[in-house]
Amino acid sequence: MHDTTRPDPSRPFRWLVLIFVSLTMFGNYYVYDCIAPIADLLTKQLGFSDSNIGLLQAIYSIPNVVMVLIGGYIVDRIGTRKAIFIFGTLCFLGSIVTCLSSMLAVMATGRLLFGLGAESLIVAVTTAVAKWFRGKELSFAFGINLMISRAAALCVIGAIIYWALEVYAESHYEIGQAGATDKVVFSDIKAFGLSYWYIVALCVTFYSGIFPFETFAYKFFMDAHHVTREAGGDLVGMLTLFTMFGTPTFGLFVDKLGKRALLMMGGSLLLIPVYLLMAYVHSVNYITVYLPSSADGHFSMVAHHLPPILLLTMAMMGISFSLIPAVMWPSVAYLVDQSKLGTAYGLMTMIQNIGLAGFNLLIGWANDYSHAGLDNPRGYNLGMWIFSILGFSGLTFAFLLRQRELGPHGHGLETITTKKAA
C-alpha cells in the first residue's frame, strides 16, 4: 500500500535529485556531439564523404525509430531509476566501441549501440523530471536539466546516485508515481489528443533543423565563410552557451507566464531566416572577438576573427534552441496522463529520430550531390534551403497548436502557471 501520510519531498531534495539525474545526460550529449567537430578531418584523413558522415549521425537515430517507444514502455513498467541505469550503461558501451577503430563499419556499430541507449535515456530522464516537478517549477526544472547536461563516463555514475536518492525518497516522501501500465495499445496513443501531435510535429521539424545542421556546421563555416576550425568551434559553441543559460531562464519565465504555444511560435519564427542568411550573406569585414581558451592547459583570452552575419545568426539560433525545448518538453506533461508519460515521451522521441536519421542522410546526400566544399561553397545552399523549409513547417505546427489550445479542447498550455498548477 502506498503511504499517503508522508510529506512531499523538500525543495532542496528535489533540486539535488535534478542535479544528479541531469549529470547522466552529460555523457550522452558529449558523445553525440563528437562527430561534428571532426567532420572535415574524417574527410581529409579517412576519406569519408558527407554521406558517410551523415550516416554516422543517422545510424544513432535509426534504431530509435523503434527503440525509444519500447524504452518509454520500459520506463513506465520498471520505473525511472532502473531504466536510467540500464540505458546509461548502453551509452557507455557504445562510446567505447566507437573509439576502437577508424573503420567506418566499426564506428557505425558503436554509434548504433550508443543510440540504442541514448535516446531511451533521454526519455527516462525526461519522465523522471516530470515525475518530480510536475506542478512545481516544471519548465524551470527542464531548463536546469538541459543546462547541466550541456555544461559538464557520467552516464553510469549519475544513474547510480539518482537510484540511491529515489530509493531514499520512496521511504521518506510522497513522490509522483508512474502508475500501472500493462501494455501499450493503439487506443492509448490515439487518446493523447491533437495538441500532443502538434507538439510532436514541431519537435521533429525543429530538431531536424538543428542537429543535422550541427553535423556539417564546422565544414560549412570553414568552407563557405573561411573561418578557422577554432572559430567554427566557437560559433557552434554559442548554442551550448545559450542553452546553458537561456533554457532555465526561459523555463522560469514560462512557468510564471504560461503562453507556451505562443512562445513556441516565437522560437520557430526566429529560426526561419537563419539558414538563408548564412547561405547568401557573406561578410567582407570580420569582427575581432576575444573568447576564452584553455589550450596547453593555460587559460587565456584568444582573438578570433568572425563574420558578423554568423554571430547574428548563431545568436538567433541559440535563442530559439533555448526557448523551444524549455517550453515544448514540459508541455507534454500537461497533455498526457502521468501513467502514460514515458510512452508519450518515447513516441515523441521515436518520431523525432525518424526526422534526425532522414535529414542527416538527406543533407549528407545534398552536399555530395551539389559538390559542396571549399572549392564550391554554394554547394551547401541546397541543404540550407531544406533547413529553412523545416523552420517554416515548425512555425506552422506551433500556430496550429496555439489555435487548438485557445479553443474548447485546450489543456491550459496558454494559461497554466506555477501558482495555478500548485
Side-chain angles (χ1 to χ4, degrees):
M1 291 290 291
H2 182 57
D3 185 1
T4 58
T5 63
R6 291 195 293 262
D8 289 338
S10 65
R11 177 172 290 184
F13 192 89
R14 284 191 287 110
W15 290 110
L16 183 65
V17 168
L18 180 67
I19 289 172
F20 284 105
V21 78
S22 299
L23 285 177
T24 67
M25 295 292 295
F26 171 75
N28 182 338
Y29 283 125
Y30 185 86
V31 177
Y32 179 82
D33 289 340
C34 72
I35 298 298
I38 60 171
D40 66 306
L41 296 180
L42 293 175
T43 297
K44 295 173 183 176
Q45 299 181 9
L46 300 180
F48 286 12
S49 66
D50 277 13
S51 296
N52 295 148
I53 295 167
L55 173 64
L56 287 178
Q57 292 291 58
I59 202 168
Y60 162 97
S61 300
I62 289 172
N64 290 303
V65 172
V66 175
M67 183 59 192
V68 291
L69 186 57
I70 299 173
Y73 174 67
I74 291 172
V75 172
D76 287 337
R77 289 292 295 164
I78 69 175
T80 51
R81 65 171 180 262
K82 292 179 182 177
I84 288 172
F85 178 77
I86 292 170
F87 298 135
T89 301
L90 274 175
C91 291
F92 178 65
L93 295 175
S95 63
I96 291 176
V97 174
T98 304
C99 298
L100 290 179
S101 172
S102 61
M103 294 178 59
L104 178 62
V106 176
M107 293 179 68
T109 300
R111 295 289 290 178
L112 186 146
L113 181 60
F114 172 67
L116 282 172
E119 290 297 312
S120 294
L121 177 63
I122 293 173
V123 172
V125 170
T126 301
T127 305
V129 175
K131 170 182 176 179
W132 283 83
F133 285 89
R134 186 173 184 176
K136 302 180 180 71
E137 314 101 358
L138 180 60
S139 294
F140 183 50
F142 269 94
I144 294 293
N145 169 244
L146 289 173
M147 180 187 76
I148 295 174
S149 60
R150 284 289 183 181
L154 292 175
C155 286
V156 177
I157 296 173
I160 292 172
I161 297 174
Y162 172 71
W163 184 311
L165 288 172
E166 186 171 303
V167 168
Y168 174 84
E170 285 183 343
S171 62
H172 291 78
Y173 299 117
E174 175 73 18
I175 59 174
Q177 300 297 310
T181 303
D182 293 328
K183 61 181 179 179
V184 179
V185 295
F186 180 74
S187 60
D188 294 331
I189 296 174
K190 185 172 65 174
F192 287 165
L194 197 55
S195 288
Y196 169 80
W197 291 107
Y198 285 143
I199 287 181
V200 170
L202 171 61
C203 176
V204 68
T205 54
F206 173 73
Y207 282 112
S208 294
I210 295 289
F211 289 131
F213 168 77
E214 282 191 311
T215 301
F216 300 101
Y218 284 76
K219 287 180 83 270
F220 169 72
F221 291 149
M222 294 168 67
D223 292 345
H225 290 272
H226 309 294
V227 302
T228 64
R229 172 188 300 281
E230 292 75 13
D234 291 331
L235 288 165
V236 175
M238 287 177 64
L239 295 181
T240 300
L241 290 176
F242 270 94
T243 56
M244 284 174 57
F245 300 104
T247 305
T249 302
F250 284 128
L252 182 63
F253 178 70
V254 74
D255 277 332
K256 297 184 179 298
L257 177 68
K259 306 294 183 184
R260 292 168 178 82
L262 182 63
L263 290 171
M264 284 186 259
M265 285 181 60
S268 300
L269 179 64
L270 196 62
L271 196 61
I272 293 175
V274 162
Y275 305 106
L276 298 183
L277 287 172
M278 288 182 183
Y280 291 101
V281 178
H282 296 270
S283 303
V284 177
N285 298 315
Y286 285 18
I287 296 176
T288 301
V289 179
Y290 289 87
L291 297 170
S293 173
S294 58
D296 301 323
H298 300 288
F299 180 85
S300 61
M301 299 298 290
V302 177
H304 293 289
H305 304 290
L306 301 174
I309 191 62
L310 293 187
L311 288 171
L312 173 63
T313 51
M314 290 305 291
M316 293 168 65
M317 184 180 290
I319 294 172
S320 179
F321 194 37
S322 303
L323 174 57
I324 290 182
V327 182
M328 178 176 64
W329 291 101
S331 291
V332 176
Y334 295 108
L335 305 177
V336 176
D337 183 82
Q338 188 166 334
S339 67
K340 303 296 183 184
L341 201 54
T343 301
Y345 281 127
L347 179 62
M348 184 172 171
T349 309
M350 178 194 78
I351 298 174
Q352 173 194 351
N353 275 277
I354 293 174
L356 292 180
F359 281 97
N360 268 303
L361 292 172
L362 178 61
I363 299 301
W365 169 85
N367 289 348
D368 287 341
Y369 174 81
S370 302
H371 304 289
L374 183 61
D375 296 332
N376 182 33
R378 291 186 178 182
Y380 289 102
N381 290 2
L382 175 58
M384 303 304 271
W385 271 103
I386 294 172
F387 289 137
S388 188
I389 292 171
L390 285 170
F392 179 79
S393 300
L395 175 63
T396 301
F397 291 123
F399 172 78
L400 292 173
L401 173 65
R402 177 167 167 78
Q403 294 300 105
R404 176 76 173 181
E405 285 298 306
L406 291 176
H409 301 291
H411 299 78
L413 293 187
E414 300 301 273
T415 58
I416 292 176
T417 62
T418 306
K419 183 180 295 186
K420 293 180 179 179

